[in-house]
Amino acid sequence: MKRILTCLYVLIYATINCSGQDQTIIDSILHVLDTTKSSWVISRASTEIAWEYLDNVDSLAYKYGDQAYKISHAIGDTANFIKSGRIIGVVLGKSGMQASAIEILERIYPIALRHNNLREAAKISNRLGLCYYQLSIFDQALVWHSNNYEHAKSLKDINGYSIALNNIGLVHYKLTNYELAVKNLSHSISIKEEHGIMYDLDLAYINLALATANTKNSDSLNTVHAREYIAKGMS
């Protein structure tokens, strides 16, 4: 059992993937910014540039996201205000500024709900759950990942549903609710396999192995199951 736990030294946290940088797209949008005087267009274009820079150049993602956020607020473009705010929250969280990320994300979440923008509400919930998890405030992380779970169900978003269950399982693990961790992680895996979602399936099995190794079943049984899950995760 110790060898298993030594190998499984980290919980893999599932998040919603962000767009990668595409310089051709960025150049095209920058041209729009250089040639327009419309605040609405500037705001929308800035959001798109921020999205393209996300995961690659955080400083520029924040710069353009913040510009879009402020202009959207000034002109009353609620949809773009929410999206650009979420981008800022992602950048702040990635930069180790979880408290600042939480502040802005919790500001825009109720606005997304009021405007029935459930897709943004789901993404914001997921990001808030991650921020609280990183701050080791696990009760709040559970609240937000549970919100994400409910939003994903309403949207019939199978991938989002499986991600939420995985993250709920990881939070239960941190709270030492190992049986609940196993239940949610197993459910997440079954959804992935049923719908052919291969992304992070290997990591999901490793997470399940770690949770299983800590449940109240006999140590020998835990070891057998944990080894089976590790084998699936490594295959």
Side-chain angles (χ1 to χ4, degrees), residues 133-188:
Y133 184 95
Q134 290 170 332
L135 291 174
S136 298
I137 306 176
F138 299 121
D139 288 337
Q140 281 299 306
L142 186 59
V143 167
W144 285 108
H145 284 311
S146 297
N147 280 351
N148 185 29
Y149 168 84
E150 295 299 332
H151 292 317
K153 283 180 62 178
S154 297
L155 293 165
K156 295 181 171 56
D157 178 1
I158 300 301
N159 188 48
Y161 186 54
S162 69
I163 287 173
L165 285 168
N166 181 80
N167 290 342
I168 289 170
L170 296 185
V171 175
H172 276 304
Y173 179 89
K174 288 294 189 178
L175 292 169
T176 69
N177 300 327
Y178 299 121
E179 283 74 20
L180 286 174
V182 169
K183 176 182 177 181
N184 284 279
L185 292 168
S186 297
H187 193 183
S188 174

Side-chain angles (χ1 to χ4, degrees), residues 96-100 102 128-138:
M97 302 173 66
Q98 282 80 17
S100 296
I102 287 169
L128 278 164
L130 175 56
C131 286
Y132 278 111
Y133 184 95
Q134 290 170 332
L135 291 174
S136 298
I137 306 176
F138 299 121

Side-chain angles (χ1 to χ4, degrees), residues 5-137:
L5 295 179
T6 300
C7 293
L8 303 175
Y9 62 92
V10 63
L11 288 173
I12 309 301
Y13 211 95
T15 59
I16 296 176
N17 289 332
C18 297
S19 172
Q21 180 178 347
D22 187 322
Q23 193 59 48
T24 301
I25 294 175
I26 291 172
D27 289 342
S28 297
I29 301 173
L30 285 173
H31 177 70
V32 172
L33 285 176
D34 289 338
T35 56
T36 186
K37 294 182 180 180
S38 167
S39 296
W40 187 90
V41 173
I42 292 171
S43 174
R44 292 288 176 130
S46 296
T47 298
E48 293 308 312
I49 292 179
W51 181 252
E52 290 298 327
Y53 276 126
L54 202 59
D55 268 3
N56 293 280
V57 188
D58 286 345
S59 60
L60 292 176
Y62 183 87
K63 172 188 173 181
Y64 286 105
D66 186 57
Q67 175 173 286
Y69 183 76
K70 290 174 179 175
I71 296 175
S72 296
H73 183 266
I75 66 176
D77 184 354
T78 303
N80 203 52
F81 179 73
I82 294 167
K83 183 175 180 179
S84 58
R86 177 171 58 83
I87 291 173
I88 295 171
V90 171
V91 175
L92 290 171
K94 287 171 57 185
S95 302
M97 302 173 66
Q98 282 80 17
S100 296
I102 287 169
E103 181 180 354
I104 193 167
L105 292 169
E106 289 188 340
R107 184 184 308 151
I108 62 176
Y109 177 76
I111 299 173
L113 286 184
R114 284 200 302 271
H115 289 265
N116 200 34
N117 193 338
L118 295 185
R119 291 200 179 278
E120 281 294 339
K123 293 174 184 178
I124 295 165
S125 295
N126 181 73
R127 186 56 54 176
L128 278 164
L130 175 56
C131 286
Y132 278 111
Y133 184 95
Q134 290 170 332
L135 291 174
S136 298
I137 306 176

